[in-house]
Amino acid sequence: QNVTQTVEEEKPEPPTVQEIKQKIEKYNAKVTNCLLMKLNEDGTYTGFIKVHLKLRRPVTVPAGIRPQSIYDALKEVNLAEMTDKRTSFYLPLDAIKQLHISSTTTVSEVIQGLLKKFMVVDNPQKFALFKEMRKDGQVLFQKLPLTEYPLYLRLLAGPDTDVLSFVLKENETGEVEWDAFSIPELQNFLMILDREEKEKIQQVHRKYERFKQRLQQTLKEAKGKPG
């Protein structure tokens, strides 16, 4: 059972550098995949988080753009700016992206970084980062504020992703903010809905056609039989 929590948690006092050092040592002692956290001289630290992509709706990307190369990444080349053409497609459900971030990296920056890696040009406000936890047989999702620091949450929870994992989902606010979508995006949504509607209609037709055939076959076999 999936339960989404939106309750804000009270912020504890920020830990001291010594406390962070002890937490990092404890964290690294449990790591089994070499993805260690590293404490810097200025008191910040770096490490890795994994983000599950669970997007139900299509995203908008540049049309006809080649995949990003290492050169592009190093030079911070924005391939999305090379063309005005756009297309929409579904990202693989539950794809996982690993990010190397700092303790100063916010949820907002993580979302923007993920969109950039997949060359998604949609408004970042359409997406939200959740923390996923398991408790008493339930899967609990809690939406993280944009100013939260994911690496600190990872440090507190430890490296076990069964205890805590991060999920990128649509930013559900109850009402769909259609004004946030461009005209091409809205047209793509209409095309997708039209295609899904036609597929559903075909499924219903096939279902009742099979039922009709079985019913006719049963009636044919029952002819001439007593009762």
Side-chain angles (χ1 to χ4, degrees):
Q1 182 180 359
N2 292 343
V3 179
T4 300
Q5 294 182 335
T6 57
V7 178
E8 292 288 340
E9 296 180 352
E10 293 186 5
K11 293 285 185 181
E13 289 294 323
T16 64
V17 174
Q18 184 59 34
E19 289 173 336
I20 288 293
K21 181 179 179 181
Q22 293 174 353
K23 290 180 184 297
I24 290 177
E25 291 174 351
K26 185 177 179 180
Y27 179 96
N28 288 341
K30 298 178 181 178
V31 171
T32 59
N33 53 11
C34 299
L35 302 180
L36 303 174
M37 288 199 188
K38 180 181 178 182
L39 181 64
N40 302 317
E41 293 181 358
D42 60 0
T44 62
Y45 51 97
T46 56
F48 296 85
I49 63 169
K50 291 182 179 180
V51 181
H52 296 249
L53 277 64
K54 294 185 178 181
L55 301 177
R56 300 287 179 178
R57 294 194 287 266
V59 295
T60 305
V61 297
I65 291 293
R66 58 181 171 78
Q68 188 180 43
S69 66
I70 296 178
Y71 173 83
D72 295 330
L74 292 175
K75 296 296 183 180
E76 296 186 352
V77 176
N78 189 349
L79 298 177
E81 294 179 351
M82 294 183 178
T83 178
D84 293 329
K85 296 180 180 180
R86 299 289 184 258
T87 187
S88 295
F89 79 105
Y90 287 92
L91 286 173
L93 189 61
D94 208 22
I96 299 176
K97 190 66 179 179
Q98 185 169 278
L99 299 175
H100 184 253
I101 63 174
S102 165
S103 57
T104 61
T105 304
T106 63
V107 164
S108 177
E109 291 169 329
V110 167
I111 293 174
Q112 293 178 41
L114 285 169
L115 298 182
K116 184 177 180 181
K117 284 182 179 294
F118 286 96
M119 292 191 292
V120 175
V121 296
D122 290 306
N123 191 327
Q125 293 180 358
K126 298 178 186 177
F127 307 92
L129 191 68
F130 291 75
K131 64 178 181 180
E132 178 182 328
M133 302 160 289
R134 300 178 185 276
K135 183 178 180 181
D136 300 329
Q138 290 185 327
V139 180
L140 307 176
F141 289 93
Q142 183 175 13
K143 181 180 174 181
L144 296 174
L146 294 176
T147 55
E148 182 64 87
Y149 301 107
L151 192 62
Y152 181 61
L153 298 178
R154 179 80 279 162
L155 177 62
L156 294 180
D160 189 354
T161 54
D162 288 336
V163 176
L164 171 73
S165 59
F166 296 103
V167 179
L168 183 71
K169 302 172 68 177
E170 283 85 5
N171 188 11
E172 303 290 358
T173 58
E175 283 289 331
V176 178
E177 298 179 4
W178 297 111
D179 292 340
F181 295 89
S182 66
I183 296 299
E185 288 176 316
L186 294 173
Q187 291 173 335
N188 279 324
F189 291 156
L190 286 175
M191 292 174 58
I192 291 168
L193 290 173
D194 184 60
R195 184 176 67 245
E196 292 180 348
E197 181 184 25
K198 290 179 180 178
E199 290 175 353
K200 288 292 184 181
I201 291 173
Q202 291 175 357
Q203 289 175 8
V204 172
H205 278 297
R206 288 194 295 267
K207 174 183 177 181
Y208 284 98
E209 183 63 30
R210 290 194 297 268
F211 179 77
K212 178 182 177 181
Q213 292 173 357
R214 289 198 298 267
L215 184 58
Q216 290 175 335
Q217 181 65 29
T218 301
L219 289 172
K220 182 179 179 181
E221 294 174 352
K223 282 184 178 180
K225 293 184 178 179

